[in-house]
Amino acid sequence: MDEFVFDYLKGNKKKLKSLSDEAVNSLSSLSKKYQLIGFISSVYKFSNEERSKELNLIRRTSVTKNLMMASDLDMICKKFNKKNINYCVLKGPALVHAGIYKSGIRFFRDLDILVSKEDLDLAFKTLNQLGFNYINKLSKNNCDVLGNMHHLPVMVNNNCTYLELHHRVTKRSHYLKCPISEDILKDKVFHDGVYIPSTDALIGHALYHGILHHENPIGPITLFDLKEITRK
């Protein structure tokens, strides 16, 4: 993976046929594990040969899925705007919407939306009205008990768009009082109908998410995000 990471960071372009079968299979595994297919296809020129088949399929599937999630996000934000809900879209969807990445590079698995605690109940009920419900059918259909979680249980709609509704950005185990949630909401930017974090907030959240948040490796996404954010 190291060679691929350096190639992307340096802006190198290569042909996939120059790689061994083992390297191509490794790229397929990485793309599925870390949502890297867009980055991989920006470095390596795919062909129609048999060994490129899986990578091409992953890319087509990722494009289709992300277009559907982008449509769902647009629908959600229109409703949130209409109801004056204090919200901000986070992570991959925010980066894509802000134009930080060229089309087809930065894919994401789900939607992450931060809302103020005062608007959490209204946001939750609005998502219910739009067809989003908790995946866990045993969860009560409300947002009364937050516990130590920084977001509500994962929600999903009929398009299989997964969504995390955050009332804070950081885990309580890291910070008793979240040091960045209030600033993200205060300094958010309205861009093409969607509230997204300011540049400073994008950098701060990327650093937190990449260094502290995950217990397991998340691949090179944080490095790539920081490169593209700071270049804009």
Side-chain angles (χ1 to χ4, degrees), residues 183-196:
D183 287 338
I184 287 177
L185 290 173
K186 182 182 68 175
D187 299 329
K188 64 186 180 181
V189 178
F190 193 64
H191 181 76
D192 289 341
V194 176
Y195 283 104
I196 57 176

Side-chain angles (χ1 to χ4, degrees), residues 202-220:
L202 286 172
I203 293 172
H205 191 201
L207 287 170
Y208 166 76
H209 212 261
I211 297 172
L212 286 179
H213 183 81
H214 285 276
E215 296 177 359
N216 299 314
I218 61 171

Side-chain angles (χ1 to χ4, degrees), residues 9-202:
L9 292 175
K10 294 177 181 178
N12 294 338
K13 304 293 182 183
K14 295 182 176 181
K15 292 183 178 180
L16 194 68
K17 65 180 182 180
S18 67
L19 301 180
S20 67
D21 289 345
E22 182 181 1
V24 172
N25 291 334
S26 176
L27 288 177
S28 294
S29 298
L30 289 171
S31 67
K32 288 185 285 189
K33 185 175 182 180
Y34 298 122
Q35 296 285 301
L36 294 177
I37 188 61
F39 300 102
I40 291 171
S41 62
S42 73
V43 173
Y44 301 102
K45 184 178 180 180
F46 293 2
S47 65
N48 292 323
E49 59 182 312
E50 183 64 26
R51 67 184 192 145
S52 301
K53 186 176 180 180
E54 185 175 15
L55 286 169
N56 281 319
L57 177 60
I58 294 169
R59 181 168 59 179
R60 289 195 299 271
T61 302
S62 297
V63 168
T64 302
K65 180 59 180 173
N66 273 239
L67 284 173
M68 189 172 294
M69 284 194 285
S71 176
D72 285 336
L73 179 62
D74 181 65
M75 172 185 66
I76 292 167
C77 291
K78 284 180 178 177
K79 286 292 186 181
F80 279 16
N81 293 337
K82 187 175 181 179
K83 296 185 178 184
N84 293 316
I85 292 173
N86 187 10
Y87 77 94
C88 188
V89 177
L90 304 173
K91 297 164 57 177
L95 295 172
V96 172
H97 190 83
I100 299 296
Y101 284 99
K102 294 180 181 178
S103 177
I105 302 295
R106 179 60 156 88
F107 294 112
F108 43 89
R109 299 180 192 276
D110 57 10
L111 304 178
D112 292 84
I113 303 177
L114 171 69
V115 298
S116 64
K117 279 193 174 181
E118 295 77 13
D119 287 339
L120 184 61
D121 185 64
L122 178 58
F124 174 75
K125 290 177 179 176
T126 301
L127 289 172
N128 276 171
Q129 293 167 3
L130 293 174
F132 283 88
N133 296 284
Y134 289 139
I135 292 178
N136 186 349
K137 302 303 180 183
L138 297 179
S139 297
K140 290 185 177 180
N141 191 41
N142 61 47
C143 56
D144 296 340
V145 181
L146 301 179
N148 290 321
M149 295 294 293
H150 58 294
H151 61 74
L152 300 182
V154 178
M155 305 179 77
V156 67
N157 68 357
N158 288 335
N159 292 333
C160 289
T161 293
Y162 295 93
L163 183 148
E164 292 181 358
L165 188 63
H166 292 250
H167 60 90
R168 56 178 287 161
V169 173
T170 59
K171 291 181 178 180
R172 198 175 297 275
S173 58
H174 293 147
Y175 301 100
L176 186 60
K177 177 178 170 58
C178 183
I180 57 177
S181 294
E182 290 183 3
D183 287 338
I184 287 177
L185 290 173
K186 182 182 68 175
D187 299 329
K188 64 186 180 181
V189 178
F190 193 64
H191 181 76
D192 289 341
V194 176
Y195 283 104
I196 57 176
S198 66
T199 299
D200 287 347
L202 286 172

